[in-house]
Amino acid sequence: MAHKITVLHGPNLNLLGTRQPEIYGHETLDDVNNTMREIAVLAGWELHCQQSNHEGELIDAIHAARLDGTHAIIINPAAYTHTSVAILDALNAFDGKVIEVHISNVHKREAFRHHSYVSLRADGVIAGLGTHGYVAALEAVINAADK
């Protein structure tokens, strides 16, 4: 049975490629997910991707990952990074790996973006690599499991 990875994209990431491309780039969310799926399939992994603008839907997806054999969660909580204790609590109830991803370097942006609740649970944080950060997170999960 293949290992499972859940990829969660937070609010406004459905606009990737068209929203502030000077910060977030020109790749769409479908481009990101398709690239990750190709890598996962080649490595023999199953990948589930979900985007939501609703905090509760992201929490429900984390809860589902607890029960469906998911090995790791890669999450870009977007604006919920800085506000959601509820997402942190849900991640704290997940036993697998958690990798937090941010497309932009949040530490070069507004001061309120410098704090992440999710980082309190994350096993790794990738920021500022553009959409390649998702690939780096995926490869880190796969490589760690192979050891």
Side-chain angles (χ1 to χ4, degrees):
M1 187 161 111
H3 288 297
K4 294 181 185 180
I5 299 174
T6 296
V7 181
L8 298 176
H9 306 283
N12 299 309
L13 288 168
N14 56 305
L15 302 177
L16 198 58
T18 60
R19 175 182 169 244
Q20 295 178 286
E22 68 281 4
I23 294 174
Y24 301 109
H26 295 281
E27 269 191 296
T28 67
L29 192 59
D30 282 341
D31 294 335
V32 171
N33 290 338
N34 289 335
T35 297
M36 291 177 60
R37 269 194 198 93
E38 289 173 14
I39 293 167
V41 166
L42 286 173
W45 287 63
E46 183 181 326
L47 192 75
H48 169 73
C49 301
Q50 181 175 339
Q51 186 278 330
S52 182
N53 295 317
H54 305 281
E55 184 178 32
E57 286 183 15
L58 295 169
I59 292 166
D60 288 344
I62 295 165
H63 290 180
R66 291 181 66 226
L67 304 174
D68 71 3
T70 294
H71 177 79
I73 294 174
I74 297 170
I75 183 169
N76 181 344
Y80 290 135
T81 302
H82 324 291
T83 63
S84 183
V85 174
I87 289 175
L88 170 62
D89 287 347
L91 289 169
N92 280 333
F94 176 73
D95 290 331
K97 288 240 180 245
V98 174
I99 307 292
E100 178 182 355
V101 173
H102 298 285
I103 296 168
S104 69
N105 181 350
V106 293
H107 303 289
K108 289 180 71 175
R109 299 185 62 195
E110 304 93 338
F112 72 87
R113 295 186 194 274
H114 299 176
H115 178 265
S116 168
Y117 285 103
V118 172
S119 291
L120 296 171
R121 168 56 181 90
D123 297 294
V125 179
I126 299 171
L129 296 182
T131 55
H132 181 72
Y134 287 103
V135 172
L138 178 61
E139 290 175 344
V141 168
I142 291 169
N143 290 337
D146 287 343
K147 293 183 178 173

